[in-house]
Amino acid sequence: MAHETQSPSWPRKLLQRLADQNTIEEVEGDLEEMYAHWVKAHGENRARRRYLWAVLTLLRPFRKKSNKFKSRRTQDFAMLKNYLLVGWRSLVNNKTYSVINIAGLSAGLTVCLLIFIFITHEYSYDRFHANGKSIFRAEKIFSRDGRHSIFANPEFGPTMKAIDARVINYVRLFDRGRKVVKSNPQHQFFEDRFLFSDTSFFSIFSFGLLEGNRNSLAQPNKVILTERTALKYFGRENPIGKTMVYDHDYIFEVSGVAKNPPTNSSVQFDFIASFSTLLTMPFERKVILGNASGFPTYLQLKDINDQPGVSQSILKTEYNNPAVQYSLAPLFDNHFNLNFGDVSNTRYVFIFICVAFLILALALINYMNLATARSTTRAKEVGIRKVIGASMRTLSIQFYVESAFTAIISFGLALIIMGVLRPFWLDTLQQQVDTSFLASTPFIMTALGLLLLCVFLSGSYPALVLPRFKPAEVLKGKVAAGVRGVLVRKILIVFQFSVSVGLVICTLVMNRQMEYIQQKNIGMNRDQVMAIPIDQLPAKDHRALKDELRRLPNVVGVGDASIPMFKASMSGLALVTSPVSGEKIGTQWIIVDEGFLQALRIEWKMQPDVHLLDGSHIINETAAEEFNLGNRLTDQEIAMGGDAAPRIKGKISGIVKDFNYKTLRSRIEPLIMSVVSDTSAAIGGNSTLYVRINPDSKFDAVVPGIRSTYTKYLGTTPFSYYFLDDAFDDLQKGEKRLSRLFGVFTAVALGIACLGLFGLITFTTEQRTKEISIRKILGATSSQIVSLLSLDLVLLLMISFVVGSPVAWTFMNNWVNNFFYRTNIPIWIIGLSCVLVIVFSVIVISLQGVKVALDNPAKNLKNE
């Protein structure tokens, strides 16, 4: 019995232990001791019941708290459900305003999502490499003019690893350019992503290897294919161990299959071949043994902070040259800062970000304007809610939930539209983005951030304004819009149309600049010139092929050069000693034959005797100025090339007028053209033929003859060609894309602004229906009523023009100044932009104003 009377004190002791913040283990020990005591005193069955009773006693305070939490959570859920129901009813009962809000927000969000696909993809370049922060690319800087080159010497990487322990690895890449690759006669193609690399390629970079051994690259004539390339050449068969023929002469064994490189990788490849293979190729062997440049090189450092120290180590090597200096660039900066191809996309990342947020701001302004303009229609609702106990906080939450509801519907619609428009958008940008990128963390976080920003901004102003109505005044009918609210709406309208005016000006100026470039005389006649890259044509057939092409009907000129004009950068920078001053001058250098200048119709400034061309050099006007030659020539010989390239020594025999061989964005650089009669021997068999076609001939009648002649000498090598005018147009593709996109952005912005304007004029006419009806009864005409409704808005549009025009003009003037050849910005463009915006706006205003002006006033006043 003693035990029986003592047992109820056990739960109280345990509760006291919990109150004293004892550990769970101590309380658990007490429970076990209690249970053992009760088993001994009362038996197993009664002990279990008492144990359960004790545990429940312990949990009772926590159960009460849990029930209280559940009750509060249920109330919150019911309140949220009520807010969503009210929001849905508000959307359904006000269809016009709902459509305007959702259409405007979804249009703005669609543009933002499309732009953010591009932006997040650009900023994610190379971020997938596990060692990315410690990888640096070597680059050369030419001291005289600050130009950069990514092509290092082949011994630079090994030298740096040998002399500096902070360099733990390196990888060299080499690209021989466009070559023919075949696995069998049915599968042969031109390839331009065939890279030669050190064995460390897959160790430094985080490219996945699906099959094979990365160490196989230590052996010559081994190649690793990407998945898409293996499928292209071997179908579903296992490619490991099979052979491929590269450039007609070199047999490679497939030793592995790698994952396709992501689209946000600055290193793109379809083949990775062993670097040691280059030593079996005569020309490349001379390049490597001569330690000539041409090898993009990446160093992996122990720590990212080792970069300054390693840069100091470079100064102690033979690569510390006053004329050419080496530096290290972080891998993550390569895409933005050191992209030597088409960087038009990366140039405009900031512009696209600004446009995205401007268009989103226009859509949000529409929502806020309509929400606050319609505040009087919800005043009684707010007043009644306040009377029955709603607080400012509760009302603010309600309007935030309603805004969030509208924003989420708009966001869902925007995702659907984005999915439809994404292929067209990426095609316009000429950008490849993996579908999997849309499910990546960077893009998902960006999209969610955009949605949260939209919810926060769209609900902020209504949530601050609407709950401030005073119940007594509201229920007496004394609700006014307020001077401050009207002023804010006017400011927002001015902002909307200032942006619209600015975008119209930008679009017109860009189109004008593009037209100017298209019509600009570039110093050569690029029309009707077909460029045909030729590979591995035997030297004995080189001249024969050109002679036979010249004899074809409607072929009026054939030339040969070491580069595909407008398709690739020049052969490289060459340091040439001025024959006058002795100064080292950085020039572009190409090898051409005697027919090149005639085929491209390049104009002479000082034309030499045609018999003196072979073995001489031709320079452009800019080079003549850099050499201080003026209008005279020199008898001093200039040697071009060396161990890594054909050595051509000769005099400057002539000067041509400057012609553009690059984009018109940059100035014409010094150029030396070495003229040789046998370009096959000088260039190494890889050159480009330029065939001028009679402009009066039909294209379809000329190409078959050229193709037949090509096949006669190059056999099964695929026949491909391009036209110079098309290639030149492609050089301006960045600016063309920007011009087209700004046209689209302008249309969207103007559409959103006009939607908002339509909503406001609709609401205004609804509020002033009785006034308009009375005016009509008193004799007002329809035009007077339309003028009454539109006068204030047109005045706001004029203010928008005054605000937006100077900003847009300044921005576009800076943009045009980036071009070496640029057009002016005439004042009529600004005037035309203003007229276009006002015309569209007046049309929108008139659509609703005329409808109200034509209504029967008796119908509107029958209840008065």
Side-chain angles (χ1 to χ4, degrees):
M1 290 296 293
H3 295 303
E4 187 73 29
T5 56
Q6 292 176 4
S7 60
S9 65
W10 280 94
R12 286 194 294 274
K13 290 181 180 179
L14 292 173
L15 285 171
Q16 185 61 42
R17 279 185 177 276
L18 288 174
D20 293 340
Q21 297 182 348
N22 284 32
T23 64
I24 294 295
E25 288 77 7
E26 291 178 355
V27 175
E28 185 179 4
D30 289 337
L31 284 171
E32 290 177 355
E33 182 182 351
M34 178 187 69
Y35 181 72
H37 171 76
W38 278 342
V39 168
K40 185 176 180 181
H42 307 292
E44 185 76 26
N45 291 333
R46 292 184 65 186
R48 286 178 181 173
R49 290 197 297 272
R50 287 175 176 270
Y51 180 79
L52 178 62
W53 166 75
V55 171
L56 292 175
T57 302
L58 282 172
L59 294 178
R60 187 178 297 124
F62 302 99
R63 189 167 66 250
K64 289 179 180 178
K65 290 181 181 179
S66 175
N67 291 336
K68 185 177 180 182
F69 172 74
K70 288 181 180 178
S71 176
R72 182 180 300 170
R73 186 172 61 183
T74 303
Q75 292 176 2
D76 291 341
F77 179 76
M79 185 168 59
L80 177 61
K81 182 180 178 181
N82 176 260
Y83 290 160
L84 292 174
L85 184 61
V86 172
W88 174 252
R89 287 174 178 170
S90 178
L91 287 177
V92 173
N93 294 334
N94 301 278
K95 294 182 177 61
T96 302
Y97 304 108
S98 300
V99 169
I100 290 173
N101 282 331
I102 292 175
L105 276 177
S106 59
L109 286 169
T110 300
V111 171
C112 287
L113 287 171
L114 290 173
I115 289 177
F116 285 159
I117 289 176
F118 163 70
I119 292 172
T120 52
H121 188 264
E122 293 295 307
Y123 275 106
S124 68
Y125 257 77
D126 296 318
R127 303 283 170 175
F128 63 91
H129 293 298
N131 304 319
K133 290 183 178 180
S134 60
I135 299 174
F136 293 82
R137 184 171 73 181
E139 65 172 34
K140 294 191 294 187
I141 303 175
F142 293 83
S143 305
R144 187 175 186 273
D145 52 18
R147 284 179 292 179
H148 294 248
S149 173
I150 64 172
F151 300 111
N153 298 71
E155 291 301 316
F156 177 79
T159 299
M160 295 308 301
K161 185 179 180 182
I163 68 171
D164 197 323
R166 290 168 292 196
V167 179
I168 59 177
N169 213 341
Y170 67 88
V171 61
R172 296 167 295 180
L173 304 178
F174 187 76
D175 182 3
R176 296 180 76 228
R178 181 174 171 271
K179 301 294 181 183
V180 176
V181 179
K182 72 174 181 178
S183 57
N184 56 56
Q186 290 73 39
H187 295 85
Q188 60 174 347
F189 308 95
F190 278 115
E191 300 288 357
D192 54 8
R193 288 184 177 178
F194 197 108
L195 299 183
F196 294 83
S197 171
D198 290 301
T199 315
S200 55
F201 182 84
F202 289 99
S203 301
I204 292 180
F205 298 122
S206 299
F207 296 113
L209 193 63
L210 299 176
E211 296 181 64
N213 185 354
R214 64 184 62 181
N215 294 325
S216 64
L217 293 178
Q219 306 170 35
N221 299 102
K222 300 289 185 180
V223 65
I224 294 176
L225 313 181
T226 60
E227 288 179 273
R228 58 176 174 247
T229 308
L231 183 64
K232 176 180 177 180
Y233 282 91
F234 298 102
R236 298 296 177 183
E237 298 179 18
N238 184 0
I240 304 297
K242 296 184 181 299
T243 59
M244 307 184 74
V245 179
Y246 171 76
D247 198 17
H248 304 291
D249 295 328
Y250 303 100
I251 298 176
F252 283 84
E253 180 185 344
V254 179
S255 60
V257 177
K259 289 184 178 180
N260 297 328
T263 53
N264 55 351
S265 170
S266 58
V267 177
Q268 291 292 331
F269 62 92
D270 290 322
F271 306 80
I272 294 294
S274 51
F275 193 86
S276 56
T277 311
L278 293 172
L279 294 174
T280 66
M281 301 176 177
F283 181 77
E284 284 69 24
R285 178 181 177 84
K286 289 179 60 178
V287 172
I288 294 174
L289 297 180
N291 199 24
S293 62
F295 301 82
T297 301
Y298 296 83
L299 304 182
Q300 182 182 352
L301 310 186
K302 281 185 179 179
D303 188 85
I304 186 175
N305 298 319
D306 291 336
Q307 180 190 2
V310 175
S311 297
Q312 289 297 315
S313 296
I314 296 175
L315 300 178
K316 302 174 184 177
T317 67
E318 61 180 304
Y319 302 106
N320 180 25
N321 189 320
V324 181
Q325 296 180 346
Y326 272 83
S327 65
L328 299 179
L331 177 66
F332 292 162
D333 293 346
N334 286 346
H335 182 61
F336 280 102
N337 298 335
L338 300 175
N339 189 335
F340 293 90
D342 174 25
V343 295
S344 55
N345 284 347
T346 55
R347 276 202 304 267
Y348 297 127
V349 165
F350 176 73
I351 295 176
F352 280 1
I353 291 175
C354 293
V355 168
F357 283 108
L358 283 175
I359 290 179
L360 182 62
L362 298 185
L364 294 175
I365 286 171
N366 277 355
Y367 180 86
M368 291 186 286
N369 266 347
L370 288 177
T372 53
R374 296 181 60 248
S375 59
T376 53
T377 62
R378 304 196 65 178
K380 289 184 179 179
E381 175 194 345
V382 173
I384 293 173
R385 285 181 180 274
K386 278 195 169 185
V387 167
I388 62 177
S391 63
M392 287 277 290
R393 175 178 174 274
T394 305
L395 290 171
S396 296
I397 292 175
Q398 175 190 340
F399 290 117
Y400 254 119
V401 170
E402 290 184 18
S403 300
F405 189 54
T406 304
I408 290 172
I409 293 175
S410 303
F411 188 76
L413 184 59
L415 286 175
I416 296 172
I417 300 173
M418 180 203 73
V420 174
L421 296 181
R422 183 175 63 89
F424 304 100
W425 166 257
L426 296 177
D427 183 62
T428 301
L429 286 175
Q430 293 187 357
Q431 184 184 47
Q432 292 183 339
V433 176
D434 294 323
T435 305
S436 59
F437 179 77
L438 299 180
S440 64
T441 301
F443 181 73
I444 291 176
M445 296 304 295
T446 302
L448 289 177
L450 179 64
L451 175 61
L452 293 176
L453 178 67
C454 187
V455 170
F456 174 76
L457 293 179
S458 64
S460 58
Y461 189 51
L464 291 173
V465 172
L466 299 183
R468 295 184 181 276
F469 289 131
K470 297 179 180 179
E473 294 181 359
V474 167
L475 298 178
K476 288 180 181 179
K478 298 179 180 179
V479 179
V483 176
R484 181 178 300 174
V486 173
L487 179 62
V488 170
R489 284 200 296 278
K490 288 183 177 180
I491 291 173
L492 293 178
I493 290 173
V494 169
F495 174 79
Q496 277 188 307
F497 283 93
S498 296
V499 172
S500 299
V501 168
L503 288 176
V504 171
I505 292 174
C506 292
T507 302
L508 292 177
V509 172
M510 287 178 182
N511 287 334
R512 181 178 172 85
Q513 175 66 24
M514 290 301 100
E515 290 177 4
Y516 176 79
I517 287 179
Q518 291 300 110
Q519 299 170 2
K520 177 77 173 65
N521 180 11
I522 65 170
M524 72 168 74
N525 187 344
R526 62 181 185 272
D527 296 332
Q528 297 294 314
V529 177
M530 178 189 288
I532 308 172
I534 55 176
D535 295 85
Q536 288 301 314
L537 179 65
K540 63 182 179 63
D541 294 334
H542 207 269
R543 181 177 291 277
L545 171 61
K546 291 191 289 185
D547 289 341
E548 192 162 335
L549 286 173
R550 290 189 182 101
R551 290 193 294 269
L552 289 176
N554 295 312
V555 171
V556 295
V558 177
D560 196 1
S562 58
I563 63 161
M565 188 76 69
F566 302 139
K567 278 292 187 180
S569 61
M570 308 302 284
S571 297
L573 289 170
L575 285 176
V576 181
T577 303
S578 169
V580 177
S581 64
E583 184 182 6
K584 292 283 187 180
I585 307 294
T587 66
Q588 299 285 353
W589 175 48
I590 60 176
I591 302 173
V592 302
D593 69 355
E594 303 96 325
F596 175 78
L597 299 176
Q598 188 271 336
L600 270 62
R601 302 291 194 266
I602 297 173
E603 299 181 12
W604 288 98
K605 181 178 181 181
M606 296 184 64
Q607 183 172 4
D609 187 336
V610 68
H611 301 293
L612 301 177
L613 282 177
D614 188 17
S616 68
H617 305 296
I618 305 296
I619 63 174
N620 63 357
E621 291 177 293
T622 302
E625 292 176 6
E626 294 282 347
F627 291 156
N628 294 320
L629 292 179
N631 292 324
R632 67 185 188 279
L633 299 177
T634 176
D635 292 332
Q636 186 174 339
E637 289 188 333
I638 294 178
M640 301 299 298
D643 294 335
R647 187 171 181 83
I648 303 174
K649 190 174 183 180
K651 299 177 181 179
I652 298 176
S653 62
I655 302 175
V656 295
K657 293 182 179 180
D658 282 339
F659 65 96
N660 290 92
Y661 49 87
K662 292 184 177 180
T663 175
L664 293 180
R665 176 176 285 274
S666 56
R667 72 179 185 89
I668 296 176
E669 297 176 350
L671 173 67
I672 293 181
M673 293 177 285
S674 298
V675 183
V676 296
S677 57
D678 187 1
T679 50
S680 177
I683 301 171
N686 301 320
S687 62
T688 302
L689 295 181
Y690 296 89
V691 181
R692 175 169 292 281
I693 300 172
N694 189 334
D696 297 328
S697 63
K698 291 184 178 180
F699 173 77
D700 294 337
V702 179
V703 173
I706 297 176
R707 182 194 300 271
S708 176
T709 305
Y710 176 93
T711 305
K712 176 181 177 181
Y713 288 95
L714 286 108
T716 58
T717 302
F719 175 68
S720 66
Y721 62 90
Y722 65 91
F723 284 94
L724 281 190
D725 51 354
D726 294 334
F728 179 79
D729 291 343
D730 286 344
L731 289 179
Q732 325 307 326
K733 62 186 177 183
E735 283 68 34
K736 286 183 179 178
R737 288 198 298 267
L738 186 66
S739 178
R740 288 197 298 267
L741 291 174
F742 255 85
V744 175
F745 296 153
T746 300
V748 172
L750 195 54
I752 291 174
C754 288
L755 264 179
L757 194 62
F758 180 79
L760 284 176
I761 196 67
T762 301
F763 177 76
T764 301
T765 53
E766 287 178 0
Q767 296 295 97
R768 302 177 68 177
T769 300
K770 293 183 177 63
E771 174 195 347
I772 292 169
S773 299
I774 293 172
R775 286 180 180 273
K776 287 195 70 176
I777 291 173
L778 295 176
T781 63
S782 298
S783 60
Q784 289 175 328
I785 291 173
V786 173
S787 299
L788 174 71
L789 294 173
S790 60
L791 186 61
D792 289 344
L793 292 174
V794 171
L795 180 61
L796 294 178
L797 294 178
M798 297 302 296
I799 296 174
S800 303
F801 168 70
V802 174
V803 173
S805 298
V807 176
W809 187 90
T810 302
F811 173 77
M812 291 314 298
N813 193 51
N814 292 333
W815 180 78
V816 170
N817 285 336
N818 288 327
F819 292 85
F820 188 75
Y821 301 96
R822 54 185 177 270
T823 185
N824 61 331
I825 305 178
I827 195 67
W828 63 261
I829 282 185
I830 298 176
L832 178 61
S833 304
C834 177
V835 170
L836 287 174
V837 173
I838 290 178
V839 167
F840 276 108
S841 304
V842 169
I843 291 173
V844 171
I845 294 170
S846 300
L847 287 175
Q848 187 64 20
V850 170
K851 177 185 175 184
V852 175
L854 296 176
D855 279 349
N856 186 356
K859 182 180 67 174
N860 297 328
L861 297 174
K862 64 182 179 180
N863 294 323
E864 295 300 320

